[in-house]
Structure formats: structure tokens, C-alpha cells
Amino acid sequence: MTVRSRRVGFSVALLVVIAAVVGFALATTIATGGGIPQNDDWSYTKSALLLHHTGHLQLQGWGQMFLLGQLVSAQPLIAVLGGHVFSLEVYGGAMTVLWLVMVYLLTSRLA
């Protein structure tokens, strides 16, 4: 097996994993109605949607330093898709795919 064929095989496997993760996330969102808060998810949702609707940042006291970057980076997607919880779920899925691609790119350079 050549190096090129191993890389192609790894790329195909990575795409299958990404498709499975996205499919699972979509199926879970649809099955649960998408509106059930998970741990501190209610705080992030409330802060993000308040920022979108009022333009003012109001944090709830739950992991504020990490939350700030997510709130700001989610605003363009909320502006496009609307001020709904679904917009934040799409944002979460997109960030998951981005992280998987970045891990692939970093590990492929190390190999």
C-alpha cells in the first residue's frame, strides 16, 4: 500500500466520520425538538440571543471568559439564520466540522 493510497483512504474515512457526526447531530436535534437545555446551554443561548436582539452583552455568570468568544463569533450566523435556537445549533455543528478539519490538517502534516 503506497503512501498516497493510505492518505486517500484516511481522507475518505475522515469524510465518513464527519458525515456520521453531522448526521447524528441533526437526528438528535430533530428527535429532541432542539429546545432542551443541556447543562449550561441555557446561559449561552440566552446571552447569544439577547446580544442579537438588543445589541447589549449580558452574561449569566457561567464560564464568562470562554463564552464571550463564542457569543461574538456566533453573531454573523444568527444574523443570517435569525434569532432562534436553531441558529446556535447550526453554529455548534459548523464549529464541530471546523475542529475536525483542523485536526485532520494538523495531523496530516505531522505524518
Side-chain angles (χ1 to χ4, degrees):
M1 184 178 240
T2 66
V3 173
R4 180 175 169 84
S5 64
R6 274 189 273 156
R7 284 190 179 171
V8 169
F10 182 74
S11 297
V12 169
L14 181 64
L15 288 174
V16 168
V17 168
I18 289 172
V21 168
V22 170
F24 177 76
L26 283 173
T28 303
T29 299
I30 291 168
T32 62
I36 300 172
Q38 304 293 325
N39 55 44
D40 63 350
D41 186 46
W42 65 270
S43 176
Y44 168 67
T45 302
K46 182 176 181 180
S47 297
L49 295 179
L50 279 173
L51 178 61
H52 173 71
H53 291 297
T54 66
H56 298 286
L57 184 61
Q58 181 180 356
L59 300 176
Q60 312 303 317
W62 294 82
Q64 294 177 357
M65 289 304 293
F66 297 110
L67 184 61
L68 187 59
Q70 292 176 351
L71 291 175
V72 173
S73 63
Q75 292 306 306
L77 191 59
I78 293 172
V80 170
L81 296 179
H84 309 287
V85 175
F86 176 75
S87 303
L88 299 172
E89 292 169 348
V90 171
Y91 172 79
M95 291 302 106
T96 300
V97 171
L98 177 66
W99 273 99
L100 289 172
V101 169
M102 289 298 147
V103 167
Y104 169 73
L105 292 173
L106 287 172
T107 55
S108 67
R109 291 189 183 256
L110 295 175

